[in-house]
Amino acid sequence: MTGEPFLGVGDKPVYKAIRTSRLYEQIVEQIEQSIVKGALKPGDQLPAERELALQFGVSRTAVREAVKALREKGLVEAYSGRGTFVIDGRSQAIRQSLDFMMKTGQADAYLHLAEMRAVLEPEIAALAAARVEEQHLVTMREAVAIMDRSLQDPDAYIEADLDFHLSLAEAVANPLILSLIDSIVGLLREQRLRIFNVDGGPERGQFHHKRILAAIEQGDGEGARDSMRAHLEQIREDSQASSAAREQLQSKPAS
């Protein structure tokens, strides 16, 4: 192919001949197909840059460009010192959309988040009670134990809290539900940071987490649903208290 445009009426270009794609684009296409076909799954680590270059018979520069393109597509994430891992592209796409919505609708953002959780999470808890496996229970028990030890440590508490709720979604064994909950992890982390310092908030959260866990362990779907509803109501009340405290602080005249 010459790469020259075809000529149409009046010698005006209509279409251009297809050009050979760049090396990195071919790498991206092959890795993307491996993900689509399931040969590479979320959590799998890509080979090191040098090894990929040898496998594809290209330069390391081409590999770096390919990894950058895969990151921009939301298919992989690179972690310094650890490597590059396949991630759930569906969750990434939803996460980006939700983050944008939260930023552009800040006034009602957390109200909308609370409402969405109230619709979804009680039913997730009820389904989890019927479908949970021992591995999920182990993760939830560990998360509760960490939160018990971390009532004065917001970072550790919040990460364990997120693990608890993600484990519930995993127990449902529905990839769409898991993708949706995974996509709002960043928003949930921000919400928890905002309310962690509400007096007694972490302790109240633990009371509800333990009730949810007990219902799940007993296979009590209705109990799990009711316990999750009570937990989300507690979060709503703590969010209101946190907002009121911030408004009061902002309204105080500077000394």
Side-chain angles (χ1 to χ4, degrees):
M1 288 184 186
T2 64
E4 294 298 321
F6 293 113
L7 298 181
V9 179
D11 291 337
K12 292 182 179 179
V14 179
Y15 298 111
K16 290 186 177 181
I18 298 173
R19 299 175 185 271
T20 302
S21 63
R22 298 173 184 171
L23 283 175
Y24 85 87
E25 291 173 341
Q26 296 179 48
I27 299 170
V28 169
E29 183 179 355
Q30 289 191 52
I31 293 177
E32 190 171 357
Q33 282 302 308
S34 294
I35 294 171
V36 169
K37 293 176 180 177
L40 285 174
K41 297 179 176 60
D44 286 349
Q45 183 176 5
L46 295 184
E49 186 180 282
R50 185 185 300 275
E51 185 177 343
L52 278 176
L54 289 172
Q55 288 181 16
F56 285 108
V58 299
S59 68
R60 293 175 68 177
T61 300
V63 169
R64 280 195 292 271
E65 287 183 278
V67 170
K68 180 182 177 183
L70 289 165
R71 288 180 64 189
E72 290 171 350
K73 285 187 165 201
L75 296 175
V76 304
E77 189 60 73
Y79 299 94
S80 179
R82 291 176 53 204
T84 301
F85 295 83
V86 177
I87 60 175
D88 190 332
R90 294 167 301 183
S91 297
Q92 184 76 359
I94 299 169
R95 183 181 298 120
Q96 290 172 348
S97 297
L98 290 173
D99 285 348
F100 179 77
M101 290 172 63
M102 293 287 281
K103 289 173 182 175
T104 56
Q106 194 63 39
D108 298 322
Y110 285 96
L111 176 62
H112 293 158
L113 177 62
E115 193 170 73
M116 183 181 77
R117 294 187 68 191
V119 170
L120 290 175
E121 292 198 65
E123 296 309 312
I124 288 174
L127 286 171
R131 302 177 183 177
V132 70
E133 297 179 0
E134 184 61 28
Q135 61 183 347
H136 306 122
L137 290 172
V138 168
T139 301
M140 283 186 269
R141 289 168 185 146
E142 288 178 352
V144 168
I146 291 170
M147 284 186 278
D148 270 341
R149 299 194 301 266
S150 308
L151 295 173
Q152 305 302 319
D153 183 348
D155 290 336
Y157 183 100
I158 290 168
E159 292 309 310
D161 194 346
L162 295 172
D163 284 346
F164 182 88
H165 287 267
L166 278 172
S167 294
L168 279 173
E170 288 174 351
V172 174
N174 181 320
L176 294 179
I177 287 175
L178 179 57
S179 291
L180 185 55
I181 296 301
D182 184 55
S183 72
I184 63 172
V185 162
L187 302 179
L188 296 179
R189 182 180 287 108
E190 180 64 26
Q191 182 186 50
R192 282 160 170 74
L193 283 168
R194 290 163 67 94
I195 66 175
F196 185 83
N197 290 323
V198 172
D199 189 32
E203 289 82 0
R204 286 192 296 276
Q206 276 300 79
F207 170 79
H208 293 294
H209 287 139
K210 290 173 181 177
R211 287 186 62 197
I212 294 166
L213 177 57
I216 297 291
E217 288 175 324
Q218 295 164 17
D220 180 3
E222 191 60 38
R225 181 186 290 114
D226 290 343
S227 297
M228 181 61 79
R229 282 176 179 154
H231 178 39
L232 295 175
E233 176 61 20
Q234 170 249 323
I235 291 174
R236 188 186 68 80
E237 291 173 357
D238 285 352
S239 295
Q240 290 177 335
S242 177
S243 296
R246 280 197 303 275
E247 288 174 7
Q248 185 177 14
L249 185 63
Q250 291 170 359
S251 65
K252 285 183 178 180
S255 56

